[in-house]
Amino acid sequence: MDIPARQACIHPRLLLDDPVMLNTLKSYPPTVCKGEENWVYVVNGTLYFSQAALRRHVNYSCTYEPLLREGDYNTTWGEAINFTSGFQITSDFFRVNCTSYTKKMYKGLHAGVTYMPERAMKETPPLVEGFGGLSVAILGFDSMSRMSWLRRLNETRQYFHDKLGAIELEGHNIVGDGTTAVMFPMLTGKFEWELPEARLHYPNASQLDNFPFLWYDFRKAGYLTSWSNANPKSAPFNWRMLGFDQQPTDFYTRPFYQAFEEMVPQKKRDCFGSVPFSSTWLNYFRDIFYMYKHQRKFLFHFLVEMTHDDNNLITKMDTEIKTLVQTLYEGGYLDNTLLILMGDHGARYNSVRSTFAGKLEERLPYFSFLFPKWFVEKYPEAIQNLRDNTKKLTTPFDIHETLKDFLKFGGTGEARVSDRGISLFKQIPPERSCGHAKIAPHWCACLEWKNISMQDPGAKDALQFTLDTINNYTADYREDCALLSVEKVTDATKLETRREVLKFKQTDSEGGIYKIDFNDTSQNEISLYQLTFHTTPGHGHFEVTVTHEVIRNVYRVSEKEISRINQYGNDPACILNKNRQIRQYCYCLSNLKS
């Protein structure tokens, strides 16, 4: 990551090929469900008998039972209805029981998106102050850091980022521990302790229905809304909280996954009959687009199972996620939709969390945006600010402010550094620090700046490595370009991981109150040196950032990390017709003779 001038928060340069992380990396093939193909399937809200079942079983009859929600912690089944192929489902979630003439039986839990006139005809008032009713669709994955995403979801990222041009945040920093500490700032703009008491077993606690969730604001603006978490036990608003009395969004999958856990043994929960668990989750998200293509939507679907305990399991879904995005994109379903792919934080419960890289990756989740092309063209200043902000310190509070802009646009221009949450469509001031963003020191992944003397051994080695690198650029033209040496050093700064992060070991949850253990003994493994120096002959003035891998004692610098910060004038005149790419490093020997 390039380091902009004057920027207060510089995040560490984590390595894709970090040996510790690569040692944990595994890849799995997609899930293949064993057994007979499901007897029924749903397409666009219509329930059909499968051709395989019709061929295999003679004269079978089936009943349809809708799943009914009774608050956040109970479900019940509606009246059983006999149906035939082509039946229009009346509930998004249901079970089917079939019996054939030969007494073969089928029982299955299914999901599909029901067509409801009140959804399709929902009033959509004009949004003259927002972005014209652009939909927002979010796919989130638990415990996925930016680096883990880059290592494990190659196919998805190649399509989403490289081909479609999604914009990735490179300095997105968590503000607390766990999923809830991401969801509340992102969806309400508040820390948990700033909201009413809602924890289990606490006096005067109430359910979350009156919390200021963004989906309520989007609903008022005529949007269809969805909140989907595929793990009812660890859901962020239910695990240690009281959940919701009324269904919070138009689409709400909690009852479906509650029924799934009640009906299916733990060892068989990777499949819904013949359909993989992951496919069922993705297909429901897709089917909302299929059934309500032209309606405004605010969708947030979050998956725990494939990443929480082991990030490697997400490799099973790489092709599936890419295919889903491609299907929506090529089908025109994203023509009026912002699609966000994200993680909430990095891995928290495996062995790498205690390592240097693991601690930092936990604090830096993946977050990316894909806008329709027309939006990028219509709002160039907002998009340019977003691109500029990708290398700055951002938090879930900023995502909250950004999403609010879709209802009432707050403009571009430079934001106030004192604001806890800043829309990414504004310019984040370069002086923004974790203190400004209200990130506690032990969650802050920004490197700590230290002014150092050139007597520091690491600084000396970094300077010599830089000088050797510059001279290597001109080595093939030594008959033209002088061998440079250092004339003087005017500034030397070292950036290291903060002490609070290195000492952080773990958190414990006691009734939702987090206690932090600062007894770890991790050592700093990567340091950055920023040096400003003059060379001779020619008085070239350079600024460089050098990475030092401490354990291997390896120094690294790329050409884009070396800046010539004074004009070179005629210094490289002798080389311009031979190799213009090295002009900033070449001082012509002919200048010494003139």
Side-chain angles (χ1 to χ4, degrees):
M1 181 170 70
D2 296 338
I3 297 181
R6 301 187 301 110
Q7 186 161 308
C9 175
I10 305 301
H11 280 103
R13 299 184 176 187
L14 299 170
L15 306 176
L16 271 178
D17 60 351
D18 184 289
V20 174
M21 294 302 183
L22 290 183
N23 192 47
T24 68
L25 185 62
K26 296 179 182 178
S27 183
Y28 295 102
T31 299
V32 176
C33 299
K34 300 178 181 179
E36 185 181 2
E37 180 182 332
N38 288 351
W39 288 23
V40 298
Y41 62 95
V42 179
V43 176
N44 291 336
T46 302
L47 188 59
Y48 296 98
F49 294 157
S50 74
Q51 292 300 311
L54 288 172
R55 288 192 300 268
R56 184 172 298 173
H57 305 289
V58 180
N59 296 330
Y60 65 83
S61 60
C62 301
T63 60
Y64 166 98
E65 293 178 77
L67 179 64
L68 306 178
R69 176 180 181 270
E70 293 186 340
D72 251 6
Y73 297 96
N74 294 290
T75 60
T76 188
W77 298 100
E79 181 181 356
I81 303 170
N82 291 310
F83 73 93
T84 57
S85 190
F87 174 74
Q88 297 293 311
I89 61 175
T90 59
S91 170
D92 284 4
F93 314 119
F94 55 91
R95 68 182 177 189
V96 171
N97 294 299
C98 301
T99 304
S100 74
Y101 177 76
T102 58
K103 304 302 181 183
K104 294 289 185 181
M105 301 184 70
Y106 170 81
K107 294 183 179 181
L109 179 65
H110 294 269
V113 175
T114 310
Y115 178 82
M116 295 183 180
E118 60 268 30
R119 291 176 179 172
M121 306 300 179
K122 193 166 188 177
E123 184 179 352
T124 53
L127 290 174
V128 294
E129 296 181 298
F131 286 126
L134 190 70
S135 291
V136 178
I138 306 169
L139 280 178
F141 299 85
D142 200 325
S143 304
M144 285 297 290
S145 71
R146 180 170 183 269
M147 301 305 290
S148 184
W149 191 288
L150 268 57
R151 294 186 190 105
R152 292 173 172 85
L153 290 173
N154 297 323
E155 194 174 344
T156 297
R157 185 173 184 266
Q158 185 175 24
Y159 183 75
F160 194 62
H161 176 269
D162 298 350
K163 184 171 182 177
L164 299 185
I167 302 171
E168 293 180 344
L169 300 182
E170 298 181 28
H172 195 57
N173 205 122
I174 62 174
V175 295
D177 189 43
T179 302
T180 306
V182 172
M183 294 300 176
F184 278 136
M186 181 175 168
L187 292 173
T188 73
K190 297 181 182 295
F191 282 114
E192 179 183 334
W193 57 82
E194 296 172 327
L195 294 162
E197 180 61 74
R199 289 174 292 178
L200 289 165
H201 314 304
Y202 273 70
N204 302 316
S206 60
Q207 291 183 285
L208 285 72
D209 297 68
N210 293 321
F211 279 29
F213 286 105
L214 273 176
W215 51 60
Y216 295 135
D217 297 324
F218 278 92
R219 176 186 287 171
K220 290 177 183 177
Y223 282 68
L224 295 176
T225 59
S226 179
W227 164 244
S228 172
N229 184 287
N231 190 315
K233 290 182 180 178
S234 67
F237 309 126
N238 303 88
W239 170 55
R240 56 184 181 82
M241 295 195 169
L242 292 170
F244 298 93
D245 178 24
Q246 300 299 312
Q247 181 169 309
T249 52
D250 296 298
F251 304 96
Y252 189 57
T253 61
R254 180 173 174 80
F256 177 65
Y257 290 104
Q258 285 175 306
F260 177 65
E261 291 194 352
E262 292 171 3
M263 293 174 62
V264 181
Q266 178 72 44
K267 293 182 179 180
K268 296 184 178 180
R269 289 182 186 168
D270 55 347
C271 292
F272 283 84
S274 61
V275 180
F277 180 96
S278 57
S279 301
T280 301
W281 184 74
L282 291 171
N283 289 346
Y284 187 74
F285 181 81
R286 178 203 64 195
D287 288 352
I288 295 175
F289 283 91
Y290 281 2
M291 291 297 287
Y292 299 100
K293 181 175 183 178
H294 302 292
Q295 280 68 39
R296 297 174 185 166
K297 291 173 281 291
F298 179 84
L299 315 177
F300 193 170
H301 290 216
F302 189 74
L303 186 64
V304 175
E305 283 71 10
M306 307 299 287
T307 51
H308 184 270
D309 296 333
D310 182 1
N311 277 185
N312 290 317
L313 295 178
I314 195 68
T315 59
K316 295 182 177 184
M317 292 182 66
D318 192 11
T319 299
E320 276 193 301
I321 299 169
K322 179 258 184 180
T323 299
L324 169 69
V325 175
Q326 185 174 10
T327 298
L328 295 177
Y329 181 80
E330 293 181 353
Y333 296 97
L334 301 183
D335 289 351
N336 200 42
T337 299
L338 162 63
L339 178 61
I340 293 174
L341 301 183
M342 61 164 285
D344 54 349
H345 50 73
R348 300 172 61 237
Y349 291 116
N350 56 30
S351 59
V352 301
R353 192 198 193 195
S354 62
T355 67
F356 171 77
K359 289 182 179 184
L360 293 171
E361 289 194 16
E362 180 196 1
R363 289 154 173 76
L364 299 169
Y366 183 79
F367 211 102
S368 62
F369 306 82
L370 179 65
F371 292 90
K373 290 181 180 179
W374 67 262
F375 186 94
V376 175
E377 295 170 356
K378 186 174 181 179
Y379 302 101
E381 186 176 358
I383 292 297
Q384 187 57 53
N385 286 342
L386 173 59
R387 293 188 190 280
D388 292 342
N389 290 334
T390 60
K391 299 182 184 299
K392 297 178 181 178
L393 173 63
T394 62
T395 76
F397 286 112
D398 302 331
I399 304 303
H400 180 79
E401 295 301 318
T402 304
L403 294 176
K404 284 169 59 178
D405 270 344
F406 290 92
L407 299 175
K408 185 176 181 180
F409 182 42
T412 54
E414 184 164 340
R416 295 179 300 184
V417 72
S418 59
D419 287 346
R420 180 171 71 180
I422 296 174
S423 169
L424 299 182
F425 296 129
K426 293 183 181 293
Q427 300 169 21
I428 295 178
E431 63 268 25
R432 190 189 207 194
S433 66
C434 284
H436 294 121
K438 302 300 185 289
I439 304 172
H442 51 277
W443 299 122
C444 179
C446 300
L447 298 175
E448 191 169 25
W449 297 80
K450 295 179 181 178
N451 292 322
I452 57 173
S453 164
M454 281 309 298
Q455 299 306 310
D456 182 291
K460 286 183 178 180
D461 290 343
L463 179 63
Q464 186 60 51
F465 183 79
T466 302
L467 186 65
D468 292 343
T469 300
I470 290 175
N471 283 325
N472 283 337
Y473 290 149
T474 62
D476 291 341
Y477 303 91
R478 191 60 67 223
E479 71 279 6
D480 297 304
C481 302
L483 189 70
L484 301 181
S485 59
V486 174
E487 182 180 21
K488 62 179 178 179
V489 177
T490 57
D491 187 61
T493 306
K494 187 177 184 180
L495 295 90
E496 289 187 318
T497 304
R498 295 170 181 271
R499 177 176 175 272
E500 294 91 343
V501 175
L502 290 173
K503 290 181 68 65
F504 173 82
K505 187 172 184 179
Q506 63 184 1
T507 58
D508 294 320
S509 175
E510 296 181 1
I513 301 296
Y514 286 100
K515 296 183 178 180
I516 301 172
D517 182 350
F518 284 111
N519 292 311
D520 205 354
T521 57
S522 296
Q523 300 297 311
N524 197 72
E525 294 182 11
I526 294 180
S527 297
L528 299 182
Y529 291 91
Q530 280 197 339
L531 307 173
T532 305
F533 60 96
H534 295 255
T535 57
T536 187
H539 306 294
H541 193 187
F542 293 92
E543 186 176 78
V544 64
T545 300
V546 182
T547 300
H548 181 207
E549 295 182 39
V550 178
I551 293 178
R552 296 196 296 165
N553 195 30
V554 172
Y555 290 84
R556 292 185 290 104
V557 67
S558 67
E559 187 173 358
K560 66 181 181 180
E561 294 165 324
I562 305 174
S563 300
R564 174 82 181 246
I565 57 178
N566 69 328
Q567 293 183 346
Y568 45 76
N570 291 323
D571 288 0
C574 62
I575 202 69
L576 295 181
N577 291 330
K578 297 180 180 180
N579 186 349
R580 290 175 178 264
Q581 305 307 314
I582 62 170
R583 62 192 182 281
Q584 63 268 44
Y585 311 118
C586 178
Y587 183 81
C588 292
L589 290 169
S590 57
N591 292 330
L592 295 174
K593 302 173 184 178
S594 58

